[in-house]
mmCIF file of all heavy atoms in Angstrom:
data_model
loop_
_atom_site.group_PDB
_atom_site.id
_atom_site.type_symbol
_atom_site.label_atom_id
_atom_site.label_comp_id
_atom_site.label_asym_id
_atom_site.label_seq_id
_atom_site.Cartn_x
_atom_site.Cartn_y
_atom_site.Cartn_z
ATOM 1 N N GLN T 1 -6.359 -69.033 146.901
ATOM 2 C CA GLN T 1 -7.022 -70.416 146.937
ATOM 3 C C GLN T 1 -8.327 -70.314 147.621
ATOM 4 O O GLN T 1 -8.384 -69.977 148.752
ATOM 5 C CB GLN T 1 -6.057 -71.325 147.615
ATOM 6 C CG GLN T 1 -6.628 -72.794 147.623
ATOM 7 C CD GLN T 1 -6.730 -73.424 146.274
ATOM 8 O OE1 GLN T 1 -5.706 -73.252 145.510
ATOM 9 N NE2 GLN T 1 -7.810 -74.063 145.989
ATOM 10 N N MET T 2 -9.381 -70.709 146.767
ATOM 11 C CA MET T 2 -10.813 -70.536 147.359
ATOM 12 C C MET T 2 -11.305 -72.017 147.437
ATOM 13 O O MET T 2 -11.513 -72.668 146.351
ATOM 14 C CB MET T 2 -11.600 -69.703 146.500
ATOM 15 C CG MET T 2 -11.025 -68.277 146.388
ATOM 16 S SD MET T 2 -12.062 -67.173 145.464
ATOM 17 C CE MET T 2 -12.114 -67.936 143.868
ATOM 18 N N ASN T 3 -11.699 -72.383 148.606
ATOM 19 C CA ASN T 3 -12.200 -73.862 148.755
ATOM 20 C C ASN T 3 -13.661 -73.684 149.286
ATOM 21 O O ASN T 3 -13.999 -72.499 149.893
ATOM 22 C CB ASN T 3 -11.435 -74.598 149.702
ATOM 23 C CG ASN T 3 -10.003 -74.894 149.208
ATOM 24 O OD1 ASN T 3 -9.790 -74.993 148.015
ATOM 25 N ND2 ASN T 3 -9.075 -74.940 150.097
ATOM 26 N N SER T 4 -14.448 -74.692 149.222
ATOM 27 C CA SER T 4 -15.805 -74.808 149.808
ATOM 28 C C SER T 4 -16.633 -73.506 149.384
ATOM 29 O O SER T 4 -17.213 -72.948 150.098
ATOM 30 C CB SER T 4 -15.689 -74.865 151.316
ATOM 31 O OG SER T 4 -15.036 -75.993 151.800
ATOM 32 N N LEU T 5 -16.525 -73.199 148.088
ATOM 33 C CA LEU T 5 -17.185 -72.069 147.573
ATOM 34 C C LEU T 5 -18.741 -72.100 147.703
ATOM 35 O O LEU T 5 -19.294 -73.202 147.658
ATOM 36 C CB LEU T 5 -16.725 -71.969 146.128
ATOM 37 C CG LEU T 5 -15.302 -71.281 145.905
ATOM 38 C CD1 LEU T 5 -14.880 -71.496 144.463
ATOM 39 C CD2 LEU T 5 -15.345 -69.780 146.296
ATOM 40 N N LYS T 6 -19.343 -70.811 147.989
ATOM 41 C CA LYS T 6 -20.663 -70.756 148.155
ATOM 42 C C LYS T 6 -21.315 -69.901 147.110
ATOM 43 O O LYS T 6 -20.592 -68.969 146.598
ATOM 44 C CB LYS T 6 -21.017 -70.222 149.600
ATOM 45 C CG LYS T 6 -20.227 -71.031 150.675
ATOM 46 C CD LYS T 6 -20.510 -70.282 152.065
ATOM 47 C CE LYS T 6 -19.907 -71.031 153.097
ATOM 48 N NZ LYS T 6 -20.153 -70.395 154.438
ATOM 49 N N PRO T 7 -22.562 -69.930 146.855
ATOM 50 C CA PRO T 7 -23.139 -69.003 145.814
ATOM 51 C C PRO T 7 -22.923 -67.538 146.248
ATOM 52 O O PRO T 7 -22.670 -66.700 145.362
ATOM 53 C CB PRO T 7 -24.548 -69.251 145.911
ATOM 54 C CG PRO T 7 -24.617 -70.707 146.272
ATOM 55 C CD PRO T 7 -23.475 -70.917 147.199
ATOM 56 N N GLU T 8 -22.777 -67.245 147.464
ATOM 57 C CA GLU T 8 -22.600 -65.825 147.922
ATOM 58 C C GLU T 8 -21.198 -65.434 147.674
ATOM 59 O O GLU T 8 -20.852 -64.114 147.927
ATOM 60 C CB GLU T 8 -22.952 -65.636 149.493
ATOM 61 C CG GLU T 8 -22.473 -66.699 150.355
ATOM 62 C CD GLU T 8 -23.296 -67.860 150.672
ATOM 63 O OE1 GLU T 8 -23.887 -68.320 149.740
ATOM 64 O OE2 GLU T 8 -23.363 -68.241 151.925
ATOM 65 N N ASP T 9 -20.312 -66.273 147.252
ATOM 66 C CA ASP T 9 -18.897 -65.856 146.846
ATOM 67 C C ASP T 9 -18.875 -65.301 145.444
ATOM 68 O O ASP T 9 -17.864 -64.799 144.888
ATOM 69 C CB ASP T 9 -18.042 -67.040 147.020
ATOM 70 C CG ASP T 9 -17.875 -67.498 148.564
ATOM 71 O OD1 ASP T 9 -17.671 -66.572 149.409
ATOM 72 O OD2 ASP T 9 -17.769 -68.753 148.610
ATOM 73 N N THR T 10 -20.014 -65.427 144.698
ATOM 74 C CA THR T 10 -20.107 -64.928 143.390
ATOM 75 C C THR T 10 -19.837 -63.414 143.289
ATOM 76 O O THR T 10 -20.533 -62.676 144.073
ATOM 77 C CB THR T 10 -21.477 -65.206 142.756
ATOM 78 O OG1 THR T 10 -21.712 -66.684 142.757
ATOM 79 C CG2 THR T 10 -21.605 -64.670 141.409
ATOM 80 N N ALA T 11 -18.883 -63.015 142.588
ATOM 81 C CA ALA T 11 -18.407 -61.708 142.435
ATOM 82 C C ALA T 11 -17.395 -61.436 141.450
ATOM 83 O O ALA T 11 -16.710 -62.465 140.943
ATOM 84 C CB ALA T 11 -18.012 -61.056 143.710
ATOM 85 N N VAL T 12 -16.991 -60.234 141.144
ATOM 86 C CA VAL T 12 -15.734 -59.958 140.400
ATOM 87 C C VAL T 12 -14.754 -59.778 141.423
ATOM 88 O O VAL T 12 -14.886 -58.971 142.348
ATOM 89 C CB VAL T 12 -15.968 -58.716 139.459
ATOM 90 C CG1 VAL T 12 -14.594 -58.373 138.883
ATOM 91 C CG2 VAL T 12 -17.008 -58.846 138.497
ATOM 92 N N TYR T 13 -13.698 -60.441 141.348
ATOM 93 C CA TYR T 13 -12.532 -60.454 142.287
ATOM 94 C C TYR T 13 -11.459 -59.546 141.756
ATOM 95 O O TYR T 13 -10.927 -59.847 140.513
ATOM 96 C CB TYR T 13 -12.055 -61.871 142.481
ATOM 97 C CG TYR T 13 -12.927 -62.598 143.444
ATOM 98 C CD1 TYR T 13 -14.183 -62.941 143.048
ATOM 99 C CD2 TYR T 13 -12.586 -62.835 144.740
ATOM 100 C CE1 TYR T 13 -15.016 -63.707 143.948
ATOM 101 C CE2 TYR T 13 -13.441 -63.444 145.702
ATOM 102 C CZ TYR T 13 -14.641 -63.915 145.207
ATOM 103 O OH TYR T 13 -15.475 -64.588 146.115
ATOM 104 N N TYR T 14 -10.959 -58.702 142.384
ATOM 105 C CA TYR T 14 -9.931 -57.785 142.114
ATOM 106 C C TYR T 14 -8.712 -57.844 142.919
ATOM 107 O O TYR T 14 -8.748 -57.996 144.092
ATOM 108 C CB TYR T 14 -10.354 -56.266 142.235
ATOM 109 C CG TYR T 14 -11.638 -55.911 141.452
ATOM 110 C CD1 TYR T 14 -12.834 -56.087 141.824
ATOM 111 C CD2 TYR T 14 -11.242 -55.338 140.092
ATOM 112 C CE1 TYR T 14 -13.995 -55.668 141.012
ATOM 113 C CE2 TYR T 14 -12.389 -54.934 139.365
ATOM 114 C CZ TYR T 14 -13.717 -55.171 139.896
ATOM 115 O OH TYR T 14 -14.722 -54.750 139.080
ATOM 116 N N CYS T 15 -7.529 -57.716 142.232
ATOM 117 C CA CYS T 15 -6.299 -57.785 142.773
ATOM 118 C C CYS T 15 -5.817 -56.232 143.191
ATOM 119 O O CYS T 15 -6.089 -55.459 142.402
ATOM 120 C CB CYS T 15 -5.138 -58.308 142.015
ATOM 121 S SG CYS T 15 -3.572 -58.530 142.553
ATOM 122 N N ARG T 16 -5.218 -56.024 144.341
ATOM 123 C CA ARG T 16 -4.858 -54.625 144.667
ATOM 124 C C ARG T 16 -3.456 -54.654 145.312
ATOM 125 O O ARG T 16 -3.088 -55.482 146.015
ATOM 126 C CB ARG T 16 -5.697 -54.182 145.714
ATOM 127 C CG ARG T 16 -5.601 -52.778 146.389
ATOM 128 C CD ARG T 16 -6.503 -52.585 147.491
ATOM 129 N NE ARG T 16 -6.632 -51.204 148.068
ATOM 130 C CZ ARG T 16 -5.854 -50.932 149.133
ATOM 131 N NH1 ARG T 16 -5.070 -51.771 149.667
ATOM 132 N NH2 ARG T 16 -5.853 -49.622 149.614
ATOM 133 N N SER T 17 -2.733 -53.699 144.814
ATOM 134 C CA SER T 17 -1.370 -53.511 145.391
ATOM 135 C C SER T 17 -1.331 -52.174 146.053
ATOM 136 O O SER T 17 -2.023 -51.078 145.716
ATOM 137 C CB SER T 17 -0.284 -53.519 144.330
ATOM 138 O OG SER T 17 -0.459 -52.284 143.400
ATOM 139 N N SER T 18 -0.596 -52.053 147.189
ATOM 140 C CA SER T 18 -0.521 -50.767 147.934
ATOM 141 C C SER T 18 1.041 -50.571 148.468
ATOM 142 O O SER T 18 1.461 -51.533 149.185
ATOM 143 C CB SER T 18 -1.504 -50.903 149.165
ATOM 144 O OG SER T 18 -1.337 -49.731 149.956
ATOM 145 N N LEU T 19 1.469 -49.469 148.144
ATOM 146 C CA LEU T 19 2.684 -48.921 148.714
ATOM 147 C C LEU T 19 2.802 -47.539 148.604
ATOM 148 O O LEU T 19 3.460 -46.959 147.699
ATOM 149 C CB LEU T 19 3.906 -49.646 147.950
ATOM 150 C CG LEU T 19 5.333 -49.282 148.591
ATOM 151 C CD1 LEU T 19 5.410 -49.887 150.051
ATOM 152 C CD2 LEU T 19 6.503 -49.932 147.829
ATOM 153 N N GLY T 20 1.938 -46.845 149.474
ATOM 154 C CA GLY T 20 1.607 -45.476 149.186
ATOM 155 C C GLY T 20 0.556 -45.432 148.239
ATOM 156 O O GLY T 20 -0.597 -45.063 148.611
ATOM 157 N N THR T 21 0.901 -45.618 146.968
ATOM 158 C CA THR T 21 -0.111 -45.579 145.930
ATOM 159 C C THR T 21 -0.755 -46.831 145.854
ATOM 160 O O THR T 21 -0.224 -47.953 145.934
ATOM 161 C CB THR T 21 0.615 -45.175 144.516
ATOM 162 O OG1 THR T 21 1.250 -43.968 144.742
ATOM 163 C CG2 THR T 21 -0.478 -45.156 143.335
ATOM 164 N N VAL T 22 -2.087 -46.884 145.443
ATOM 165 C CA VAL T 22 -2.905 -48.084 145.399
ATOM 166 C C VAL T 22 -3.045 -48.242 143.839
ATOM 167 O O VAL T 22 -3.364 -47.348 143.143
ATOM 168 C CB VAL T 22 -4.336 -47.933 146.031
ATOM 169 C CG1 VAL T 22 -5.137 -49.111 145.658
ATOM 170 C CG2 VAL T 22 -4.060 -47.905 147.572
ATOM 171 N N ARG T 23 -3.043 -49.527 143.419
ATOM 172 C CA ARG T 23 -3.325 -49.869 142.101
ATOM 173 C C ARG T 23 -4.238 -51.134 142.148
ATOM 174 O O ARG T 23 -4.240 -51.956 142.923
ATOM 175 C CB ARG T 23 -2.068 -50.315 141.348
ATOM 176 C CG ARG T 23 -0.989 -49.203 140.951
ATOM 177 C CD ARG T 23 -1.572 -48.302 139.888
ATOM 178 N NE ARG T 23 -0.515 -47.369 139.485
ATOM 179 C CZ ARG T 23 -0.462 -46.051 139.905
ATOM 180 N NH1 ARG T 23 -1.572 -45.708 140.699
ATOM 181 N NH2 ARG T 23 0.404 -45.187 139.544
ATOM 182 N N TRP T 24 -5.126 -51.187 141.064
ATOM 183 C CA TRP T 24 -5.997 -52.290 140.911
ATOM 184 C C TRP T 24 -5.963 -53.009 139.582
ATOM 185 O O TRP T 24 -5.578 -52.422 138.612
ATOM 186 C CB TRP T 24 -7.484 -51.743 140.922
ATOM 187 C CG TRP T 24 -7.981 -51.047 142.332
ATOM 188 C CD1 TRP T 24 -7.873 -49.874 142.512
ATOM 189 C CD2 TRP T 24 -8.502 -51.707 143.371
ATOM 190 N NE1 TRP T 24 -8.340 -49.543 143.845
ATOM 191 C CE2 TRP T 24 -8.708 -50.746 144.357
ATOM 192 C CE3 TRP T 24 -8.829 -53.054 143.711
ATOM 193 C CZ2 TRP T 24 -9.196 -51.025 145.603
ATOM 194 C CZ3 TRP T 24 -9.439 -53.395 144.847
ATOM 195 C CH2 TRP T 24 -9.624 -52.351 145.881
#
């Protein structure tokens, strides 16, 4: 949940999982 968004928050957002191995 992203509130009070600013121009500097502009980006591609990635989800990451980690349990030994990392996935994106």
